[in-house]
C-alpha cells in the first residue's frame, strides 16, 4: 500500500522523506529539465522555504502542486532509484580482483565479433571489472589499434602523439623504448589527469624474451591493507612528485601511491620508479615510507600477484592504467614491435551504458 504524508517542510512516500526544496530542484517537467537531462533552473534561484499546496501519490508517480502555481509529476524511479537500478547493471560497480592465477581466456574476446553489441559489451566489461581485457585476431596492420579505440571512444593524444612505438631505439627518451626489463609500473603519473586506459597491440613478437608482466594493483593494495595496515596508510597519505622531461616536454604532477575515496576504497594506484622524483620527507618518516614502498613492490612482484604472458602478433590488450601495472619480465631478444596508445575510461563506460540502453 502506498502511503503519503505531508508535513510543514517535507513529505514522505512509503516512509521515505523528501524535502520540498529537493523535490522542486528535481522537477522533471519540460520547463525545468531539458530533453538532454540537464537542469534549466539555477540553484541560486531555488527557494529553500518553498511550500506546496497539495500532493498525491498513485500509479507509481507523485503529483505536487506548488504554492507558486507550478505543477510537478515525479515517476517512481526518480524517487526510488535503487529499486530501478536493481533491474540493470551499474557499469560503475562490480570489481573482480585477481593475482598470478588470472585465467587469460576469461578476459579475452575475438576481435572479429566486436560488431556484435553483446561481444563489444563483454570486452569493455572485462576492463571495467577486471581492469584488463585481451583481443585476439586483431588485423596485424599498422595503426590498427586506433581503429580499436574508435569502437568505444577516443584516443588520448599526448606528447608522444596519438600513438607510440614500443621498439628498440638507439637513443631513446624513455626506457620503454629499449629491450631492457622493466619493473611493474603505471604510465604517465607525471600527467594530470593520468590517461586511464592503455592499449598495446603486438605486430611482431620477439623470438626470445619480451615477456609481459602484469599485476592488479587493487588486489596487491588489499593484501598490504590486510597484512601491513601501517604500510598501507603510509602509502595512502604520502604525496609524491613525478616528472618527465625531454626537449619537447616538461610534465609534472603529484599524488599518493595508493589513492582512496572518502570511504577508504582504493580508487587509483600510481607507481613508476623511473619518473618518481626525490622523495623529500621529514627525517623521522623516511625509513617508514621506504619500508612501505618496498613492501608494496614486493607484494606486486610476488608469486601471488604477478601474472605473465607473451603477446603474439594479432593480440591486443587494453587495461586500466590507474589499476593494472605492467612491465617487461624478460629482455626482448631479436626484433619486437608493439604499438600503443592511450584512451580514457569515461568513454568506455559511456559506450557500455549506451549498449545497455539499446538492449
Amino acid at each position: 500500500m502506498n502511503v503519503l504524508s505531508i508535513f510543514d517542510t517535507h513529505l514522505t512516500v512509503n516512509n521515505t522523506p523528501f524535502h520540498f526544496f529537493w523535490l522542486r530542484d528535481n522537477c522533471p517537467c519540460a520547463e525545468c529539465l531539458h530533453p538532454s537531462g540537464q537542469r534549466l533552473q539555477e540553484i541560486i534561484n531555488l527557494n529553500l522555504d518553498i511550500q506546496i499546496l497539495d500532493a498525491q501519490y498513485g500509479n507509481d508517480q507523485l503529483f505536487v502542486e506548488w504554492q507558486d502555481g507550478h505543477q510537478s509529476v515525479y515517476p517512481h524511479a526518480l524517487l526510488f532509484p535503487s529499486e530501478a537500478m536493481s533491474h540493470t547493471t551499474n557499469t560503475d560497480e562490480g570489481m573482480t580482483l585477481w593475482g598470478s592465477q588470472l585465467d587469460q581466456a576469461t578476459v579475452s574476446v575475438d576481435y572479429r565479433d566486436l560488431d556484435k553489441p553483446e561481444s563489444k559489451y563483454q570486452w569493455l566489461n572485462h576492463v571495467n571489472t577486471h581492469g584488463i581485457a585481451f583481443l585476439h585476431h586483431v588485423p596485424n596492420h599498422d595503426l590498427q589499434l586506433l581503429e580499436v579505440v574508435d569502437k568505444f571512444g577516443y584516443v588520448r593524444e599526448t606528447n608522444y602523439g596519438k600513438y607510440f612505438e614500443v621498439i628498440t631505439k638507439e637513443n631513446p627518451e624513455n626506457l620503454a623504448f629499449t629491450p631492457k626489463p622493466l619493473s611493474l609500473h603505471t604510465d604517465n603519473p607525471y600527467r594530470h589527469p593520468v590517461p586511464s586506459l592503455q592499449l598495446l597491440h603486438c605486430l611482431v613478437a620477439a623470438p626470445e624474451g619480451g615477456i609481459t608482466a602484469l599485476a592488479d594493483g587493487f588486489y596487491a593494495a588489499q593484501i598490504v591493507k590486510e597484512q601491513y595496515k601501517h604500510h598501507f596508510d603510509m602509502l595512502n597519505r604520502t604525496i609524491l612528485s613525478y616528472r618527465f622531461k625531454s626537449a619537447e616536454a616538461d610534465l609534472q604532477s603529484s599524488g599518493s601511491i595508493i589513492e582512496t575515496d572518502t570511504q577508504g576504497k582504493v580508487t587509483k594506484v600510481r607507481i613508476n620508479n623511473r619518473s618518481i622524483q626525490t622523495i623529500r620527507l621529514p627525517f623521522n618518516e623516511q625509513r617508514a615510507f621506504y619500508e612501505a614502498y618496498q613492501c608494496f613492490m614486493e607484494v606486486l612482484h610476488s608469486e601471488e600477484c604477478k601474472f605473465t604472458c607473451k603477446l603474439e602478433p594479432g593480440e591486443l590488450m587494453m587495461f586500466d592504467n590507474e589499476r593494472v601495472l605492467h612491465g617487461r619480465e624478460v629482455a626482448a631478444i631479436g626484433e619486437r614491435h608493439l604499438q600503443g596508445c592511450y584512451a580514457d575510461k569515461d568513454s568506455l563506460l559511456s559506450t557500455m551504458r549506451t549498449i545497455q540502453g539499446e538492449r
Side-chain angles (χ1 to χ4, degrees):
M1 179 178 179
N2 297 317
V3 178
L4 171 68
S5 300
I6 303 175
F7 301 90
D8 291 339
T9 60
H10 67 281
L11 57 77
T12 65
V13 179
N14 294 341
N15 296 318
T16 300
F18 298 93
H19 284 288
F20 292 160
F21 63 80
W22 184 91
L23 289 168
R24 187 65 183 85
D25 184 44
N26 288 281
C27 175
C29 78
E31 184 180 332
C32 299
L33 197 68
H34 189 268
S36 66
Q38 297 176 316
R39 282 189 175 87
L40 294 173
Q41 53 185 350
E42 297 291 341
I43 190 65
I44 197 171
N45 297 322
L46 178 65
N47 179 5
L48 296 181
D49 298 314
I50 194 168
Q51 295 293 308
I52 66 173
L53 293 179
D54 188 29
Q56 299 176 30
Y57 188 82
N59 298 320
D60 283 336
Q61 59 183 16
L62 171 67
F63 170 82
V64 174
E65 183 177 356
W66 299 95
Q67 195 175 53
D68 60 6
H70 191 79
Q71 295 182 343
S72 303
V73 179
Y74 303 87
H76 184 87
L78 190 155
L79 301 175
F80 303 99
S82 60
E83 296 178 15
M85 289 300 296
S86 67
H87 301 294
T88 62
T89 301
N90 186 344
T91 54
D92 291 319
E93 296 182 1
M95 184 180 298
T96 301
L97 303 182
W98 50 271
S100 60
Q101 301 306 310
L102 172 69
D103 183 356
Q104 187 173 341
T106 65
V107 290
S108 297
V109 173
D110 193 319
Y111 177 82
R112 297 169 297 184
D113 292 335
L114 290 190
D115 288 336
K116 303 173 184 176
E118 60 273 18
S119 295
K120 180 187 289 189
Y121 185 91
Q122 182 184 42
W123 168 51
L124 301 177
N125 194 44
H126 288 327
V127 179
N128 182 45
T129 58
H130 290 73
I132 190 166
F134 294 85
L135 285 178
H136 298 290
H137 301 114
V138 180
N140 208 26
H141 299 157
D142 184 47
L143 302 186
Q144 181 68 35
L145 82 167
L146 301 185
E147 294 188 26
V148 173
V149 176
D150 285 343
K151 292 185 177 296
F152 71 89
Y154 309 92
V155 170
R156 169 80 176 277
E157 190 166 357
T158 69
N159 57 297
Y160 300 117
K162 288 187 176 181
Y163 67 97
F164 52 89
E165 308 276 9
V166 184
I167 53 178
T168 301
K169 296 182 178 181
E170 291 186 5
N171 297 298
E173 62 183 14
N174 194 307
L175 282 175
F177 306 140
T178 74
K180 297 179 182 293
L182 295 173
S183 62
L184 290 167
H185 63 280
T186 58
D187 271 16
N188 292 198
Y190 41 76
R191 204 179 296 277
H192 182 75
V194 172
S196 48
L197 294 176
Q198 181 171 173
L199 293 86
L200 288 172
H201 179 209
C202 180
L203 296 175
V204 179
E208 295 182 46
I211 304 297
T212 296
L214 300 163
D216 184 349
F218 289 4
Y219 177 55
Q222 176 179 276
I223 293 175
V224 174
K225 186 175 184 179
E226 292 175 350
Q227 299 183 15
Y228 313 97
K229 182 65 162 54
H230 57 299
H231 288 336
F232 179 93
D233 292 340
M234 174 64 77
L235 298 175
N236 183 212
R237 68 173 179 263
T238 304
I239 304 301
L240 304 176
S241 297
Y242 299 85
R243 185 181 187 185
F244 172 82
K245 190 175 188 305
S246 69
E248 294 79 25
D250 188 349
L251 299 163
Q252 302 179 44
S253 189
S254 60
S256 59
I257 286 179
I258 298 175
E259 192 168 313
T260 58
D261 61 17
T262 55
Q263 282 74 46
K265 177 183 176 182
V266 177
T267 56
K268 297 178 183 179
V269 169
R270 183 186 289 104
I271 287 186
N272 192 307
N273 189 60
R274 290 165 285 148
S275 61
I276 194 170
Q277 297 302 284
T278 301
I279 299 172
R280 303 188 185 281
L281 294 173
F283 179 81
N284 60 353
E285 294 181 16
Q286 289 181 6
R287 184 174 182 86
F289 174 79
Y290 274 88
E291 288 178 347
Y293 188 13
Q294 282 190 334
C295 174
F296 192 30
M297 291 301 286
E298 288 171 356
V299 170
L300 283 163
H301 287 83
S302 69
E303 291 185 4
E304 182 176 358
C305 288
K306 185 173 63 177
F307 171 80
T308 59
C309 63
K310 182 173 182 176
L311 289 180
E312 298 295 339
E315 290 185 328
L316 179 149
M317 66 178 179
M318 178 165 65
F319 54 89
D320 186 333
N321 183 51
E322 295 180 303
R323 172 182 171 181
V324 174
L325 294 90
H326 67 289
R328 191 177 303 137
E329 180 75 359
V330 181
I333 301 176
E335 183 182 3
R336 180 175 184 260
H337 185 190
L338 304 181
Q339 286 186 326
C341 71
Y342 301 111
D344 287 304
K345 196 173 178 182
D346 57 350
S347 293
L348 179 148
L349 294 173
S350 172
T351 300
M352 288 179 65
R353 296 188 186 106
T354 300
I355 294 173
Q356 283 181 317
E358 293 173 349
R359 289 178 174 178

